[in-house]
């Protein structure tokens, strides 16, 4: 009961964690004499985004691309710290929609309009400064070998019932994002609290079952694939689908009560040293060819469908909208209160 009462304190922000260096990959120009450079900081795994860069360089062989894979919270913090330095990025691509929105709100983003950006649906862009390049559902991922099909939850209430079931079948076998370390996890937790009437009860049940908290999607999926965990809650679906395509014993459920949809957003900083190249790359990502590569090669759902029409998220999918509503949860006091209440629920009583 104490945890459920604490969970009513649903408002949030503490200072960002110290920024750490990410994984860097340089994609040399395909010509002997490069004529442009583009530096991208992104939260998409390098091995996934490499296919996108390779296709872009087929069209622009004289461009050298430097891509740095950085976790969401560090991406934001590093930009603020190093934006005027020699390694500052020309383009920020992140699933941290709230932090990207804050950069726009605080005046750090450069407006960009073109025929390609005009095709982006209104719910996936803000002020012509932040653009969704793809979207993906937030899912429940489970191990098909350790969790029988008849027990797989298809709604949050069914998950709650499974967590409370006699014999505690998921005790020590369930995971989710650690919202103190994962900005995406934090965004999803606040959206659940805003939308779901059983969010507090579900969180308390996760805590009762010793939920494992991780910062990265890949680590959670590793543990579910190996059978160390049977289920992970609120996981980005594209990463799980890539594992399934490679043969991992995973299943994906989009909750039928509602499925949150996260936008992977692109922002061109005003401090970009290569603004024209950043604009060209963003237009490529939103072009029919770029959207096809994102879909086919990177397993990311395109924001623009065939024939230039906007892609439809689906009946039960609830897109998280870009815009000032996301700034509410970036207030320092509200963030701290939200995290304290969340931690009280997921950590065992001492």
């Amino acid at each position: 009961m104490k945890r459920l009462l604490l969970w009513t304190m649903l408002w949030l922000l503490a200072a960002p964690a110290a920024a750490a260096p990410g994984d860097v990959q340089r994609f040399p120009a395909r010509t002997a004499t490069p004529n442009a450079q583009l530096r991208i900081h992104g939260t998409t795994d390098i091995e996934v985004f490499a296919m996108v860069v390779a296709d872009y360089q087929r069209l622009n062989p004289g461009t050298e691309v430097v891509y740095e894979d950085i976790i969401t919270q560090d991406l934001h913090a590093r930009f603020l710290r190093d934006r005027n330095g020699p390694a500052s990025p020309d383009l920020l691509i992140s699933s941290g929609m709230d932090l990207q929105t804050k950069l726009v709100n605080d005046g750090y983003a450069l407006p960009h309009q073109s025929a390609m950006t005009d095709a982006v649906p209104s719910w996936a862009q803000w002020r012509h400064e932040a653009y969704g390049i793809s979207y993906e559902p937030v899912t429940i991922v489970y191990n098909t070998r350790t969790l029988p099909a008849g027990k797989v939850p298809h709604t949050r209430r069914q998950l709650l019932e499974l967590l409370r079931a006699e014999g505690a079948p998921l005790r020590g076998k369930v995971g989710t994002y650690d919202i103190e370390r994962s900005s995406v996890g934090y965004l999803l937790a606040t959206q659940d609290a805003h939308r779901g009437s059983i969010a507090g009860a579900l969180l308390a049940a996760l805590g009762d079952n010793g939920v494992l908290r991780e910062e990265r999607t890949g680590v959670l999926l590793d543990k579910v694939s190996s059978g160390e965990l049977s289920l992970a809650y609120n996981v980005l679906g594209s990463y799980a689908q890539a594992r399934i395509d490679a043969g991992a014993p995973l299943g994906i459920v989009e909750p039928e009560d509602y499925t949150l949809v996260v936008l992977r957003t692109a922002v061109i900083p005003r401090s970009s040293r290569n603004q024209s190249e950043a604009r060209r790359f963003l237009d490529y990502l939103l072009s029919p060819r770029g959207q096809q590569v994102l879909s086919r090669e990177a397993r990311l759902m395109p924001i623009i469908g065939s024939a230039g029409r906007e892609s439809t998220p689906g009946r039960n999918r609830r897109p998280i909208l870009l815009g000032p509503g996301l700034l509410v949860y970036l207030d320092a006091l509200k963030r701290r209160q939200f995290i304290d209440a969340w931690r009280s629920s997921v950590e065992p009583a001492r």
Side-chain angles (χ1 to χ4, degrees):
M1 177 62 69
K2 179 180 178 182
R3 285 185 302 198
L4 291 176
L5 289 174
L6 284 169
W7 183 245
T8 61
M9 302 164 58
L10 295 178
W11 305 98
L12 2 111
L13 186 194
D23 298 324
V24 183
Q25 184 161 333
R26 187 178 297 272
F27 299 86
R30 298 188 175 203
T31 58
T33 54
N35 55 30
Q37 186 188 70
L38 178 66
R39 184 175 291 272
I40 303 171
H41 286 182
T43 60
T44 306
D45 292 347
I46 286 178
E47 57 268 27
V48 173
F49 212 73
M51 295 177 260
V52 178
V53 173
D55 187 66
Y56 178 74
Q57 289 183 315
R58 292 186 189 102
L59 300 175
N60 301 275
T63 301
E64 176 189 59
V65 178
V66 180
Y67 183 84
E68 190 161 359
D69 174 14
I70 311 172
I71 61 173
T72 306
Q73 195 157 303
D74 286 354
L75 181 146
H76 181 81
R78 280 190 54 189
F79 169 74
L80 293 177
R81 186 192 68 190
D82 300 335
R83 64 186 182 276
N84 295 317
S88 61
D90 302 303
L91 191 64
L92 298 168
I93 301 176
S94 173
S95 50
M97 298 171 57
D98 49 352
L99 295 177
Q100 296 281 75
T101 298
K102 182 168 175 56
L103 289 180
V104 171
N105 187 71
D106 292 349
Y108 291 112
L110 190 70
H112 176 58
Q113 280 189 271
S114 68
M116 301 305 175
T117 66
D118 287 345
V120 176
S122 59
W123 55 266
Q125 71 89 14
W126 190 44
R127 296 195 341 192
H128 303 292
E129 296 177 34
Y131 287 97
I133 62 167
S134 68
Y135 73 86
E136 56 185 300
V138 180
T139 66
I140 297 170
V141 177
Y142 63 95
N143 186 299
T144 56
R145 295 172 181 167
T146 63
L147 192 63
K151 290 186 177 293
V152 174
H154 290 271
T155 66
R156 286 168 179 79
R157 189 161 297 280
Q158 289 177 4
L159 175 58
L160 178 61
E161 291 170 356
L162 182 60
L163 290 165
R164 290 174 170 175
E166 185 177 354
L170 289 185
R171 181 165 293 159
K173 305 288 286 183
V174 61
T176 193
Y177 292 120
D178 185 336
I179 74 166
E180 292 190 82
R181 296 183 293 155
S182 167
S183 292
V184 172
Y186 177 72
L187 172 65
L188 300 178
T190 58
Q191 290 293 313
D192 269 348
H194 177 68
R195 293 172 181 266
S197 61
I198 66 167
L202 181 57
L203 192 63
L206 287 168
D208 289 339
N209 280 269
V211 63
L212 179 72
R213 294 160 283 158
E214 292 289 350
E215 181 177 23
R216 285 184 172 268
T217 308
V219 177
L220 282 169
L221 294 179
D222 286 343
K223 294 181 184 298
V224 178
S225 297
S226 70
E228 181 179 341
L229 297 177
S230 292
L231 181 148
Y233 174 66
N234 263 10
V235 177
L236 297 181
S238 63
Y239 291 95
Q241 187 60 55
R243 300 289 185 102
I244 292 171
D245 293 343
L250 298 177
I252 298 174
V253 170
E254 294 189 15
E256 294 172 4
D257 45 341
Y258 67 89
T259 296
L260 292 173
V261 172
V262 171
L263 293 174
R264 205 168 292 267
T265 57
V267 168
I268 302 174
R270 288 186 179 273
S271 56
S272 167
R273 289 174 168 76
N274 302 287
Q275 293 180 6
S276 61
E277 196 63 32
R279 293 176 189 273
R280 186 178 296 115
F281 190 81
L282 177 54
D283 281 347
Y284 159 78
L285 292 175
L286 296 173
S287 70
R289 176 169 175 161
Q291 290 283 286
Q292 185 179 45
V293 170
L294 284 169
S295 175
R296 185 184 65 241
E297 304 295 341
R299 297 293 192 272
L300 300 176
M301 293 187 176
I303 204 72
I304 303 169
S306 60
R309 292 187 294 270
E310 72 175 68
S311 187
T312 304
R315 186 181 64 182
N316 294 321
R317 293 176 177 174
R318 301 292 184 268
I320 303 173
L321 305 182
L322 280 173
L326 292 175
L327 300 176
V328 172
Y329 294 101
L330 294 181
D331 172 80
L333 176 60
K334 291 175 180 178
R335 176 181 170 94
R336 186 72 264 153
Q337 291 174 336
F338 187 95
I339 287 178
D340 286 346
W342 180 88
R343 188 194 298 120
S344 295
S345 288
V346 299
E347 291 182 352
R350 296 180 181 179

